[in-house]
Amino acid sequence: MARKTPDFGSIGTERQEDKGLSMADILMLPDAQRRVVQWMMRQGDCALHDVAANTEQDEGDAAIALYDLMEQGYVQEIEVDGETLYRIRLASKEGIKQLPQTIQQALAPGKPLAVIPNPSGDYAVIAGSTFELCVTVSNKGNQSALIDIYIDEVSQMLRQWCDSPFERLALSSKSTSEVVFQFQVPPQTLPGTFHYQLVVDAPQHYPEDTPIRYSQRLQVLSAIEDAVTVSDPTFTVIPATSSVAPLVVQPGQPLQVTVLVDNRSDRVDRFWLSCSDLQESWFTVRYPEGLQLPGLVTASDGLDLNPGAKGEIVLLLHPPLNALAGNYFATLRLQSANHLDAVLLDVIYLQVLPVYLITVELRTLLGQVKRSAGLFEVRLTNAGNTERNIIVRTISFDEDNLCTYTLEPVEVLILPGTVGIVALEVEPTQWWRRPIYGGGRLIHFGVELEDPKLLPVPNDLPQGALLWEPRPWWQFLLVLLAGVGMLAAIAFLIWWLFFRPPAPPKIVEFSSDNPAYQEAEGDFVQLNWQIRNPRQIQAIALTGQSPDGSAPVQPVTYDFSKGVPNQLKEFCIIRAVLICKHVRTEARQPGNYVFELKVFSKRKKDAPVDSVKTNTVKIQSVASPKISEFFSTKPIYQEASVSSKGAASGPTQKPGVNSPGGDMILLNWKINNPEQLKELRLIARLPDGSAVSGLRPFNFSQGIPKELQEFCKLPQELICKNLPTGIRKPGDYIFELIAIPKKGEGEKPISTKTDTIKILPNIVPIKIVAFKVNGKEAAGKYLVPINPEKPIRPLVLTWQVEGGKDMKVEILPAPGTVPPVGAIAYPLSQQPSSETVTLKVTNGTGQEFSRSVTFETLIPPKPEPSATPSAPSQKIPTRPSGLPTLPATPLVLPPPPGLSVPSESPNAGGTSPAASPGSSPSASPGGTPPSSPEGSPSPSPTASPSLSPNGSPSPSDPDTLSPSELPPRFD
């Protein structure tokens, strides 16, 4: 379809005064500066080396581009942390918005699709006329794509006016095409502005970047209006091109394109033409010549047009000779001095014709050879502008085909302006045809080229030659020497067959049947040997001994003068070789043996002609039993709990029963090779080495002894578990297990010891349950009055102590050690004195507990008959209030051994004290004295100490005593 001239209408306004870089400024920049700006807009602040690395420039070119941008005010130099950085300066948002959306989207970097609609933005049309919308689409991606171009359904009115609102394009990579939508505006359409959207979508190939939407407006004018005033300039490219009808250009030849510019404004304007997509060497822009001064014609750098005038700008296209063949599309931009922000664009399509030119050169690297291959190099230079794929072959000009030709690679891809190198190796194969003398042989060959695409290749191809040098003169000497050697070989063969003496015997093999034997199986060492030339054997001597000489073997000599001796006929046969197998020796004792075989020949009977020794042959002794494990079930045991009377708290068990009692040491062991075990001996020792118990022997001559059958098993190893030792006493023990093997009565027994095994004593908490005086809990101190006319009755002390069996109970100062539960009669002195009785308990760890009571005897003062108030009265010591009194009736107690209890005098009118030794008085422990029993008088605080009825002492209040007199207390 014919392409309509682009009309960009009112797509720009006058540039504002804001400083900074706008999108229109980016389009006007040179190609190198535009790449820098586009990268910096995405990156932000950056350094010089970053700009050079990401824009494919060296640092010098990047620095020049940044300097030019700083001169124009588009880039700002800043310093951050001592490093110089560059920042892009963009124009204000209002200035950026002046660039139409369609142009921004078309020039967006990195997008695979470039779309240029024409007209873009607003367009005015008269009702009843035809309107065309041209859409140019370029596929910049790396893949072919199906592209849908259509008018969106939201614009129903314009879809009705369009004959075909939906179009589809199939574009290959780096290709461009154009679609034209024709709209027929009905005559009855009312004037107004109609909005519509143009959509470009490639959902199958570019789903991330599409759809692309362009908002357009169509202004429908009244049909009676004659014209619409338009002031925007326009331009037309002659000849018109499209993607299907490009402009054909021959490399190195110029082609003229005319750009017709129409200044539709009412002001004088100046225009410039630029093409940023082509290199500057590809085109030249020529403006009309002007008259600056009368009679002087000068070249102009722009096109000056008056209002309403038209002018031409000549664009000369002259691609260089090395321009690559293919289709190109270049964007032409017309800039106006009055409309700096206006973007007037058009696309020109070019087709650069291909040039096929290949030059071939054959270089000789190694042209003279003797035994190696000749080396050559085929250089293919692509002087055209297309990629060439060339297949190289060799041609032999020699009818004998003396050489093989190897090419590496056979097929080569050559880019335009590059050189492809193919290595050629020429190697002579028929060595016998090498010239014997003279100047050598010259082998000629050539190369030929083939293009798989049948493109033209050069006809005149180079030829090469390889010089095969003649043989050297010394090779004739080798032929002479070979003849002499053949004569000598014939002479030697005659001597060998008719005059050679018989060969002496030679031992080929000498070894043992088995490198190791077992003594337990009663094995003898058996030997094998093979001897060559057996007819020449006179005798064979066999000796053997251990390396240390500990187990010698009697040497044996076999006489072969009359053939195989009788003692070897069972083991040996004579054929071409004497073969003897399983010859039995006298070696049967444990140890290591080395045997030597010596052969004596009939021609030399005095000295052996050959001798060979075997490797070390070992007879292994019977394995002795080995104690692999010996340990206690637990490293630490706890003594069984025992009551205060010494009886064990746990249930009793019969001796010898394997019970899981935690108070007895249990042993475990594992012994390897138990079949060689004669006896086991077990002994217990203290850490100092002294024996705790006697030696316990276990006889294994008839299997597992009866006393161990319950604890031991004998699969392949003797395993005994939880064997009771009968040791329960606390302490540290070490057990030793001794294994006596069956073999060798004098051999050293095998023994091992356990680690130290501990039995910890059972520490029972000690508790003084009761400590009483005359049946009452003992107080801290008692005051006992003395009556010279009446003796003091003995006190009855009773006690009860709980604790372990190893505790020690004492009554101090007398009688000393006593049982945990008991009672004694304790006499008091008739003289004034103070006596302290202590109940002391000591456990097995040495910890002590005690309770004390003090008895103080005193003579009470006699009371005076009368006292006057004026005369000072003498204070009599009084017993503090609140102290318990002794019972009126004394207890009757059987006297302990060695102590006599005085009987009560007839005056007392009482009975002797009595108490049951086995009774356990009910008293709260802790030493707190109980209150006075019922019926006992409670003395007043001012009462003087006196004898209680029947002469019993009354206890004193501990709170009135001095600290030194106080007995010890227990928390």
Side-chain angles (χ1 to χ4, degrees):
M1 182 179 292
R3 183 177 179 276
K4 184 177 178 64
T5 303
D7 185 2
F8 290 92
S10 57
I11 64 174
T13 59
E14 293 187 2
R15 184 178 180 180
Q16 300 180 4
E17 297 298 329
D18 296 340
K19 293 184 178 180
L21 188 64
S22 64
M23 191 59 68
D25 297 329
I26 296 175
L27 296 175
M28 297 177 62
L29 292 174
D31 183 61
Q33 297 181 12
R34 186 169 66 252
R35 288 201 305 269
V36 172
V37 168
Q38 290 176 349
W39 183 82
M40 291 181 65
M41 290 174 65
R42 296 190 304 268
Q43 183 69 22
D45 296 347
C46 53
L48 175 60
H49 59 85
D50 294 331
V51 175
N54 291 276
T55 57
E56 300 179 357
Q57 305 182 51
D58 56 19
E59 292 193 5
D61 296 339
I64 294 174
L66 289 173
Y67 179 78
D68 294 340
L69 291 172
M70 286 190 296
E71 289 292 326
Q72 301 176 49
Y74 297 153
V75 174
Q76 178 183 1
E77 183 179 4
I78 61 175
E79 186 171 348
V80 177
D81 296 335
E83 183 180 6
T84 302
L85 301 179
Y86 298 91
R87 177 180 297 172
I88 195 74
R89 296 184 59 193
L90 299 176
S92 61
K93 292 184 178 180
E94 291 75 7
I96 296 175
K97 290 179 181 178
Q98 293 174 1
L99 189 65
Q101 177 188 8
T102 58
I103 305 304
Q104 294 184 28
Q105 294 180 356
L107 299 177
K111 298 292 183 179
L113 296 180
V115 182
I116 300 178
N118 186 19
S120 175
D122 297 345
Y123 189 77
V125 66
I126 299 175
S129 61
T130 301
F131 160 62
E132 291 185 352
L133 175 63
C134 300
V135 182
T136 303
V137 182
S138 298
N139 182 9
K140 297 182 179 180
N142 296 324
Q143 61 177 341
S144 301
L146 288 176
I147 304 171
D148 297 332
I149 307 171
Y150 57 91
I151 305 299
D152 197 359
E153 294 181 356
V154 297
S155 310
Q156 286 295 333
M157 183 68 71
L158 270 78
R159 286 177 64 90
Q160 296 176 5
W161 296 348
C162 185
D163 297 337
S164 178
F166 183 90
E167 297 288 344
R168 173 170 287 183
L169 289 179
L171 290 182
S172 61
S173 177
K174 311 300 181 183
S175 61
T176 304
S177 185
E178 186 179 66
V179 173
V180 178
F181 295 96
Q182 290 187 352
F183 297 87
Q184 181 64 42
V185 182
Q188 64 273 17
T189 304
L190 298 178
T193 301
F194 297 88
H195 296 268
Y196 67 96
Q197 279 193 351
L198 175 66
V199 181
V200 179
D201 192 8
Q204 298 181 8
H205 301 90
Y206 301 117
E208 295 86 358
D209 301 291
T210 59
I212 305 173
R213 300 180 182 272
Y214 298 90
S215 298
Q216 305 280 91
R217 289 192 303 177
L218 180 64
Q219 181 180 6
V220 179
L221 303 179
S222 176
I224 61 176
E225 294 183 2
D226 294 333
V228 177
T229 303
V230 179
S231 61
D232 294 337
T234 62
F235 72 99
T236 305
V237 179
I238 301 174
T241 60
S242 64
S243 59
V244 296
L247 192 61
V248 179
V249 181
Q250 184 70 31
Q253 297 182 5
L255 178 65
Q256 179 174 328
V257 176
T258 302
V259 178
L260 182 60
V261 183
D262 185 4
N263 183 12
R264 299 189 297 180
S265 65
D266 54 357
R267 294 191 301 169
V268 176
D269 204 348
R270 186 179 183 86
F271 299 92
W272 301 274
L273 184 67
S274 63
C275 181
S276 59
D277 293 338
L278 297 179
Q279 299 181 9
E280 295 182 358
S281 60
W282 280 52
F283 67 93
T284 302
V285 180
R286 293 182 179 178
Y287 300 98
E289 298 175 349
L291 294 174
Q292 297 280 338
L293 295 173
L296 180 61
V297 179
T298 60
S300 176
D301 58 353
L303 176 62
D304 298 325
L305 292 179
N306 292 323
K310 296 182 179 181
E312 294 182 355
I313 299 176
V314 176
L315 177 64
L316 289 179
L317 299 176
H318 42 79
L321 292 175
N322 58 354
L324 299 181
N327 294 328
Y328 297 82
F329 60 94
T331 303
L332 299 181
R333 179 184 178 187
L334 185 67
Q335 295 177 268
S336 171
N338 295 336
H339 303 82
L340 295 177
D341 294 334
V343 180
L344 306 178
L345 303 176
D346 200 354
V347 179
I348 181 172
Y349 297 89
L350 303 176
Q351 181 182 9
V352 178
L353 296 178
V355 176
Y356 306 108
L357 182 57
I358 295 292
T359 60
V360 185
E361 180 185 0
L362 180 61
R363 292 186 178 182
T364 302
L365 303 180
L366 179 61
Q368 296 182 7
V369 296
K370 298 178 182 178
R371 293 175 301 275
S372 60
L375 301 179
F376 299 87
E377 187 179 83
V378 181
R379 300 177 62 89
L380 304 175
T381 304
N382 186 1
N385 60 354
T386 60
E387 293 182 357
R388 297 297 300 272
N389 199 14
I390 302 298
I391 300 175
V392 183
R393 295 189 178 90
T394 57
I395 305 174
S396 176
F397 298 127
D398 190 352
E399 61 180 2
D400 295 334
N401 274 338
L402 298 178
C403 300
T404 58
Y405 303 91
T406 304
L407 292 167
E408 181 64 30
V410 177
E411 186 174 354
V412 60
L413 177 65
I414 312 172
L415 299 178
T418 60
V419 178
I421 298 177
V422 179
L424 173 59
E425 184 177 298
V426 182
E427 182 178 8
T429 56
Q430 303 176 8
W431 57 271
W432 61 89
R433 303 189 65 176
R434 181 179 177 182
I436 299 177
Y437 59 90
R441 183 167 185 172
L442 200 60
I443 303 173
H444 296 276
F445 63 91
V447 295
E448 64 178 4
L449 306 181
E450 179 184 352
D451 193 311
K453 298 180 181 179
L454 302 180
L455 298 177
V457 294
N459 295 325
D460 294 335
L461 299 176
Q463 298 181 3
L466 176 67
L467 180 60
W468 197 5
E469 296 182 354
R471 300 180 185 274
W473 63 269
W474 53 264
Q475 290 187 356
F476 296 100
L477 181 60
L478 294 179
V479 174
L480 179 61
L481 293 177
V484 174
M486 185 175 294
L487 294 176
I490 294 172
F492 176 77
L493 185 60
I494 294 173
W495 173 85
W496 179 269
L497 294 176
F498 301 103
F499 303 102
R500 178 177 62 88
K506 178 70 175 177
I507 301 175
V508 179
E509 179 186 350
F510 181 47
S511 62
S512 171
D513 269 355
N514 197 335
Y517 296 86
Q518 299 290 336
E519 180 194 11
E521 299 174 359
D523 291 343
F524 290 83
V525 177
Q526 297 181 356
L527 300 176
N528 306 317
W529 63 75
Q530 294 183 16
I531 301 177
R532 206 180 306 156
N533 303 319
R535 305 297 176 185
Q536 301 299 321
I537 298 176
Q538 176 66 27
I540 294 177
L542 179 62
T543 60
Q545 64 177 4
S546 59
D548 55 358
S550 59
V553 179
Q554 187 69 24
V556 179
T557 301
Y558 302 100
D559 186 8
F560 278 79
S561 60
K562 297 179 181 181
V564 179
N566 294 331
Q567 60 265 41
L568 292 181
K569 285 184 178 180
E570 182 182 354
F571 310 103
C572 300
I573 59 174
I574 293 182
R575 291 177 183 166
V577 177
L578 173 64
I579 300 175
C580 296
K581 292 187 177 181
H582 312 299
V583 179
R584 187 172 178 178
T585 65
E586 297 300 325
R588 58 181 300 175
Q589 297 297 325
N592 297 329
Y593 295 87
V594 176
F595 295 90
E596 184 178 11
L597 184 67
K598 298 180 180 179
V599 180
F600 297 85
S601 68
K602 294 180 179 181
R603 297 172 59 87
K604 192 176 181 181
K605 302 179 181 180
D606 298 335
V609 295
D610 195 8
S611 65
V612 176
K613 291 184 179 182
T614 64
N615 295 328
T616 301
V617 182
K618 183 176 183 181
I619 299 181
Q620 298 178 352
S621 61
V622 177
S624 300
K626 180 181 180 182
I627 304 175
S628 58
E629 295 181 5
F630 181 45
F631 59 93
S632 172
T633 303
K634 297 188 297 184
I636 300 176
Y637 292 82
Q638 183 69 43
E639 182 189 14
S641 301
V642 180
S643 65
S644 62
K645 295 182 181 181
S649 62
T652 60
Q653 298 175 356
K654 296 180 180 181
V657 177
N658 185 15
S659 62
D663 59 337
M664 184 186 299
I665 296 177
L666 305 178
L667 297 179
N668 310 279
W669 64 72
K670 181 166 65 174
I671 300 178
N672 300 330
N673 305 318
E675 64 275 1
Q676 302 298 326
L677 182 63
K678 179 180 180 182
E679 187 181 58
L680 279 180
R681 298 174 184 176
L682 180 65
I683 186 171
R685 301 180 186 275
L686 295 178
D688 58 0
S690 60
V692 178
S693 61
L695 189 68
R696 294 180 62 185
F698 302 101
N699 192 347
F700 281 81
S701 59
Q702 296 181 357
I704 300 178
K706 185 177 181 180
E707 59 266 38
L708 294 182
Q709 290 180 357
E710 184 180 353
F711 310 100
C712 298
K713 296 181 181 180
L714 188 62
Q716 295 180 352
E717 300 173 332
L718 177 63
I719 300 176
C720 298
K721 294 185 177 180
N722 299 326
L723 177 67
T725 60
I727 296 179
R728 289 187 171 91
K729 184 178 180 181
D732 296 345
Y733 301 92
I734 297 175
F735 290 86
E736 182 178 5
L737 185 64
I738 303 173
I740 307 299
K742 290 182 179 180
K743 180 188 175 185
E745 295 294 335
E747 292 190 10
K748 183 179 180 181
I750 303 166
S751 65
T752 185
K753 295 181 180 180
T754 64
D755 296 334
T756 301
I757 305 170
K758 296 180 179 291
I759 298 181
L760 302 179
N762 186 20
I763 301 175
V764 179
I766 293 177
K767 180 179 180 182
I768 299 177
V769 180
F771 184 37
K772 298 183 179 182
V773 177
N774 291 343
K776 301 296 183 178
E777 276 297 324
K781 185 174 183 180
Y782 290 91
L783 299 177
V784 183
I786 301 174
N787 188 356
E789 298 177 356
K790 183 179 180 181
I792 302 175
R793 289 195 299 272
L795 303 178
V796 178
L797 302 180
T798 60
W799 66 90
Q800 181 181 358
V801 179
E802 293 181 354
K805 66 179 181 179
D806 59 344
M807 70 177 180
K808 180 181 179 182
V809 183
E810 297 175 285
I811 299 290
L812 300 177
T817 302
V818 295
V821 179
I824 63 172
Y826 190 83
L828 297 177
S829 175
Q830 290 293 118
Q831 299 299 324
S833 63
S834 177
E835 299 180 23
T836 300
V837 180
T838 302
L839 175 62
K840 180 179 178 182
V841 184
T842 307
N843 62 9
T845 61
Q847 189 176 5
E848 295 181 355
F849 297 86
S850 65
R851 285 185 61 184
S852 300
V853 59
T854 302
F855 299 99
E856 184 175 350
T857 57
L858 54 86
I859 300 176
K862 296 181 179 181
E864 294 183 2
S866 63
T868 61
S870 60
S873 61
Q874 182 182 1
K875 282 192 175 183
I876 299 174
T878 62
R879 180 173 57 88
S881 62
L883 294 177
T885 60
L886 295 175
T889 303
L891 299 176
V892 178
L893 181 70
L899 180 64
S900 63
V901 181
S903 62
E904 185 181 359
S905 64
N907 301 345
T911 60
S912 62
S916 176
S919 64
S920 299
S922 176
S924 60
T928 304
S931 61
S932 300
E934 295 182 2
S936 297
S938 179
S940 63
T942 59
S944 61
S946 64
L947 289 173
S948 62
N950 300 323
S952 300
S954 299
S956 63
D957 188 359
D959 295 336
T960 63
L961 302 178
S962 64
S964 62
E965 295 176 336
L966 287 175
R969 292 178 178 270
F970 301 94
D971 294 335

